[in-house]
Structures are given as structure tokens and as C-alpha cells.
Amino acid sequence: MAKRRKRGEGSVHLRKDGRWEGRMVVGYDDKGLPITKNVLAKTKTACLDKLKALQETCSGQPTEKIQPDMTFGEWLDFWYQNYSKPKLRPKSQLDYENSIYRHIIPALGHIQLSKLTTNDLQQFYAQMKKKGRLIRTQVYGEGLSDRMVRACYTRCLTALDRAVADSLIRINPAADCKLPGQALKDMNLLTREEMQRFLIQAKEEGYYELFLMELATGLRRGEVLALQWDDLDFNTGELHIQRQVYRANGELIVSAPKTKAALRTIVLPLALLGVLEEYRRQVSSRWMFPSPAKEDSPLDPATVRKRLQTILEHAGCKRVRFHDLLHLFVTTALENGMDVKTLSTIIGHVSAKTTLNVYTHVTDEMRQTAAAKIDQGIGKCELQSISGEGSPAQSPNVPPKVPFAPYKGKIRKPGTGCVTQINDHLWEGKFSPKWPDGKKHSRSIYASTESECEEKLADLIREMKTEIAEARHLVSEGNWEEAMALAGQKKARGTRKEQLQV
């Protein structure tokens, strides 16, 4: 029986044409796949000599890193850099690096790869659960969440599976580890009254269309912020979801969704289409929800997250996450009779099982309806509301109106101009947007009352946004002088002197 060659020395075999061929791995490409080279000779001895010369020539390549006596930390770093990192998105890379270089390697990196045991890994997971948190322990406690522990387990399991495939170890010690169950968080769902107050306050603060879109479609935060006007067909109501936006390494990144199921088309309700048609006239950007601070950029997800909490506080609602609005959409859709398969397609799930396990929540109304239907089936009685004595159940599509006066802050929201009282019978409204030449061109209107001034200012803002959109179109076609004429030649609606005379 032929003696087995050591790892890293390559392989030698006799070809059908009578020559000997030697082959060895000399490196790895960006995807982590091996790069091989071969040598040919008439005799086995000559082939071994050529193969040894090739090995000396390629010394210093990654093949020297892969040795059975390497530490677990060295292997984990090599596995991540060559096998895992090239396939990951920037945000996923940050998650992997956080678990590998801040938790796993400091705790287990010194252990030799071939001597790593299941007990070592099991004690590491238990220690993470008890005292694994490195920052903000006063807020969240000393232990890490079940989700983070399972993430570290997955990294170790996958890396050690690769080590088994590369014949560095015989068995995977992570395969027999036991982990804490993955408990689902309780979702905070807004009631119908809270939802109405929330939308009224969102309209006051300039985020009505954004959150109405979310509550009506159940899009993820990155998906709704990455929408462009070209994605929506106002004739058919079809909305194409084909990108997402997220923040990584301090920058906004726009990319395609992670899965093919997330690339989907949904049909918007007619009421939402009407709102978006009116909103479209006020937006001069290709993005449906553009950033007020940066030109040709979508809203920052962090900005929306903070604004959501501000609106909830002003509306007197409980604190919920943006993702909870998706849960609210799913639960409301089920309450109104939508089948699970259609619902999973709308929110971009591959399987309807995921929708049922994660995104559905039994509400009080669902319990009441279920009890009434059981009563109807057993006692042959009419379907009635449990809370009302003999009164029919109210349709979930017609919630009662809630009297609510929105909170008005001292600072005006971006894009609404400013209003100043000049004297007892004269108010001035001014709007100073940035034009395609990079400069701000101001225009003013005047009125005898504050309410009249607000109305005139709103009309002025719509008119100027239309002109800015027209100017940008002219600039794109090379008509710079004509575009700038829109900014310089358009006059305000009367001077202050004329208003004083009125």
C-alpha cells in the first residue's frame, strides 16, 4: 500500500499517457476556492523533484497557514477571510467580525485546533450567557442575548465543518453542543386609536406618507426608504420592490435585497395611491422619501428610527420599533381575512411557515371573533360582539374616529419655510430652497393673518418645488442658462410695500 503524503506536499499520480503528474494547492482566490498548479515528468522521481521545487517557489502562500497544529483562532481567522467574508454584505461582515474577533477568538483562540473539545465550546457558550457582554452592562445586564450566543455557535460550527472537509480534524466538536432556545420577542402592537393618533401626528411632522406606506404594505425599513418613483405605476397601482438601503461603516449603502423572494411586486390600495399622487407633486427627487440634508439621497434609516419615537411620544402612544409596524400590518391583514400564502408573498417570505411562526400575533379582537364563531357553530346563534350586548360586531375596516389635536413643536419641520409677524396686520412667509446651482434663492409672500399666510406659503412651496424639478430637468438636458433663469426671473407674489397698501 502506497504511503500517504503529508498535507501541503501535494499529490502524485500516473497518467494514462505514461507520464507522472504532480499537483498541489498554491493559494486561494477571493471566494476561498483553492488555486492549484501541476508539474509533469517521465518518472516518478523526476516528478517529485519538480513538485518539491514548485513547493519551494510557492513558499509563503496561504498553504503554509493550513496546518493541523494551528490554533483555533488562526483557523477561524483564515476561514473568515477566505471562505466567508467574500460572500457577505458589508453589514453582515460587521456582525461576523464582532462575534469572531471580540468574543470567540479572545476566549478560545489559544486552543490548538486538533485539541478543541465539545466541553470547551459548551463552557464558552454558558459563559457568554452569564457574563459575556462587553459594553452597556448597566443597561442590558452582564449576559449576552440568546441571539448572540446562537450567532457565535453558528460561526464555530461552520468554521469547524470546513476544517473537517479540509482534513484538519476528524470530527466537528461543535456539532453536539446544546444551546438556549431562540425565544421570540413579544411585539408591541398599536391599537386602532393609537394608530389614528400616530398618523395624525406623523402628518403634522411631515412623515405621514412614509408611515402610511409602511402600515399599508408591511415593507421593511430598508425597502421602503429605497423606493423610487419609477418603482410605482400609478395606472395599475403596482409597486416593484427591488432594492434596500442600510448603513454600514458610517455610509448609506443601496443594494439588491438578500433573497430572490424579496424581489417582488405588490399592488397598493386606491386610497394610498391617491395620497401618493398628491405627495408626488411636492417631491422633486427620484427617491420617494428623499433626505432633506443630502441631495439625491434617500432618508437615513437611523433618522427614521429616531423620528418614529418622537412621533409616538408626541401622539401619546407606547414605544414600538419600526419592525413592529410590519408585525402590525401582518396581524391586521389576518384579522381582515387575508390568506397566509398571499401574505407571505407580499412581505417577501419564501415559506408561509415563517410568516405563521414569526409575524402573527393573537389580538383581543381575534380571540373575541374566534369565541363568537365557536358559539355560533355550537349554539346556532348569530355572530355578535362579545363586548356589546346583542349588538353586531363592528367592521374592522371602519374604526371610530379619535379626537386628537397634534402636537405642534416650536421648530418648524424641514421644507415648510418660515412665518414671521411683521406688525399687527401683516405676516410674512419665506421659503429658501437650494436650486441646481447650489445656491439658495428665497421668495416671500405676505398676508394679513397667520392662517392666510400659512396657506399662501404652502402654495408657494408647491410652486417652487415644481420649478426646481423643471430646472433640474433642463440642467440634465444641458440648458443651464434657461434653468438658472427660473431661479432668477421668477418674482415673489407682491412686495411688502404693495401688501402694506392692501
Side-chain angles (χ1 to χ4, degrees):
M1 182 176 179
K3 184 178 179 180
R4 184 175 181 179
R5 295 176 60 81
K6 295 181 180 180
R7 182 171 184 84
E9 294 182 351
S11 61
V12 178
H13 68 278
L14 182 64
R15 290 162 52 105
K16 291 182 179 180
D17 59 4
R19 293 183 297 174
W20 286 86
E21 179 182 13
R23 184 176 294 273
M24 66 176 297
V25 177
V26 297
Y28 292 84
D29 60 14
D30 294 338
K31 296 182 178 180
L33 301 177
I35 302 173
T36 61
K37 287 187 177 181
N38 70 321
V39 295
L40 296 174
K42 293 182 179 179
T43 64
K44 183 177 181 180
T45 303
C47 183
L48 289 174
D49 292 339
K50 288 186 176 181
L51 192 63
K52 185 176 181 180
L54 177 63
Q55 183 180 10
E56 293 175 355
T57 303
C58 299
S59 61
Q61 297 291 332
T63 49
E64 292 187 350
K65 287 187 175 182
I66 306 177
Q67 299 294 336
D69 59 346
M70 66 193 309
T71 64
F72 179 52
E74 293 173 338
W75 167 249
L76 197 60
D77 174 70
F78 179 82
W79 165 81
Y80 170 70
Q81 298 293 340
N82 294 275
Y83 289 102
S84 185
K85 185 177 181 178
K87 305 175 184 178
L88 299 175
R89 296 168 180 261
K91 189 174 185 305
S92 299
Q93 289 179 10
L94 295 177
D95 294 338
Y96 270 65
E97 291 169 4
N98 178 49
S99 58
I100 291 174
Y101 297 106
R102 300 189 64 186
H103 294 284
I104 303 176
I105 290 181
L108 303 173
H110 63 283
I111 302 176
Q112 189 172 331
L113 178 61
S114 58
K115 295 182 180 180
L116 185 67
T117 64
T118 302
N119 186 46
D120 294 330
L121 293 168
Q122 192 69 58
Q123 289 183 2
F124 166 64
Y125 301 142
Q127 186 66 19
M128 286 185 67
K129 186 62 180 172
K130 292 181 180 178
K131 296 183 178 180
R133 188 174 297 279
L134 302 177
I135 59 175
R136 305 187 71 179
T137 56
Q138 296 179 351
V139 179
Y140 299 104
E142 295 184 348
L144 286 171
S145 64
D146 295 341
R147 179 177 178 273
M148 188 61 184
V149 175
R150 297 183 71 87
C152 291
Y153 164 78
T154 302
R155 315 288 190 256
C156 294
L157 180 67
T158 309
L160 292 171
D161 276 340
R162 184 73 245 183
V164 173
D166 288 351
S167 302
L168 295 176
I169 54 177
R170 291 179 59 252
I171 59 174
N172 187 343
D176 296 329
C177 291
K178 296 181 180 180
L179 290 175
Q182 193 171 7
L184 297 177
K185 292 183 178 180
D186 293 333
M187 297 297 110
N188 292 324
L189 302 183
L190 297 177
T191 64
R192 289 179 179 172
E193 291 77 11
E194 288 177 325
M195 201 186 313
Q196 288 184 359
R197 296 201 306 268
F198 170 69
L199 289 176
I200 293 173
Q201 185 63 42
K203 191 170 186 177
E204 173 64 26
E205 301 193 22
Y207 285 80
Y208 174 71
E209 293 80 10
L210 170 62
F211 289 113
L212 182 64
M213 171 74 80
E214 172 59 28
L215 292 172
T217 61
L219 298 178
R220 294 163 183 82
R221 181 176 59 177
E223 293 174 341
V224 70
L225 296 182
L227 291 176
Q228 297 181 3
W229 289 111
D230 291 341
D231 300 330
L232 176 59
D233 187 342
F234 282 98
N235 295 324
T236 62
E238 292 183 344
L239 180 66
H240 305 281
I241 293 90
Q242 50 193 357
R243 70 186 69 84
Q244 64 176 354
V245 61
Y246 58 92
R247 179 170 285 279
N249 294 322
E251 296 181 357
L252 282 182
I253 299 176
V254 180
S255 66
K258 289 185 178 180
T259 63
K260 292 183 178 179
L263 292 167
R264 61 199 188 276
T265 299
I266 62 177
V267 180
L268 301 184
L270 292 177
L272 178 58
L273 276 177
V275 173
L276 292 177
E277 284 181 348
E278 177 65 24
Y279 172 64
R280 178 70 179 91
R281 302 187 187 99
Q282 306 172 20
V283 179
S284 57
S285 173
R286 65 185 174 118
W287 300 98
M288 194 172 292
F289 304 105
S291 170
K294 295 182 180 180
E295 187 174 355
D296 193 28
S297 173
L299 270 172
D300 192 328
T303 301
V304 175
R305 173 177 55 82
K306 295 176 183 177
R307 180 59 61 177
L308 170 63
Q309 300 308 322
T310 302
I311 295 174
L312 289 170
E313 181 180 353
H314 291 167
C317 302
K318 57 177 170 284
R319 293 176 62 89
V320 297
R321 304 171 303 164
F322 193 97
H323 197 69
D324 292 333
L325 302 180
L326 168 56
H327 287 255
L328 178 60
F329 164 78
V330 173
T331 305
T332 304
L334 290 175
E335 285 180 352
N336 287 273
M338 182 180 292
D339 63 280
V340 179
K341 181 61 179 176
T342 302
L343 184 58
S344 65
T345 303
I346 291 176
I347 61 179
H349 283 167
V350 178
S351 171
K353 183 178 179 181
T354 305
T355 308
L356 285 173
N357 291 341
V358 180
Y359 289 100
T360 57
H361 308 276
V362 179
T363 62
D364 291 337
E365 182 171 348
M366 295 170 72
R367 294 190 186 96
Q368 293 176 2
T369 303
K373 286 184 177 180
I374 293 174
D375 190 24
Q376 182 187 26
I378 297 176
K380 304 299 181 182
C381 63
E382 295 182 358
L383 183 61
Q384 296 179 345
S385 172
I386 295 179
S387 58
E389 298 179 359
S391 60
Q394 186 177 10
S395 173
N397 295 324
V398 188
K401 292 185 178 181
V402 177
F404 174 69
Y407 169 81
K408 296 182 181 292
K410 297 181 180 180
I411 302 177
R412 295 176 66 90
K413 56 193 176 186
T416 60
C418 62
V419 174
T420 306
Q421 185 176 7
I422 298 176
N423 53 44
D424 293 339
H425 60 276
L426 186 62
W427 294 75
E428 179 186 23
K430 180 180 291 187
F431 185 53
S432 306
K434 184 180 292 185
W435 285 68
D437 61 353
K439 299 179 180 179
K440 290 185 177 182
H441 298 272
S442 302
R443 297 184 196 166
S444 301
I445 54 91
Y446 300 90
S448 57
T449 63
E450 182 180 7
S451 59
E452 182 184 359
C453 187
E454 290 283 3
E455 293 177 1
K456 287 186 176 182
L457 180 60
D459 294 337
L460 176 64
I461 291 174
R462 283 193 291 268
E463 178 183 333
M464 292 186 68
K465 286 185 176 181
T466 303
E467 293 171 5
I468 292 174
E470 183 181 353
R472 286 177 177 167
H473 178 69
L474 291 173
V475 170
S476 64
E477 294 183 346
N479 300 326
W480 179 261
E481 294 182 358
E482 188 177 350
M484 291 303 98
L486 285 174
Q489 294 179 2
K490 293 287 184 178
K491 296 182 179 180
R493 303 178 180 183
T495 64
R496 182 184 301 183
K497 183 177 179 180
E498 293 172 342
Q499 293 294 337
L500 287 170
Q501 291 176 352
V502 173

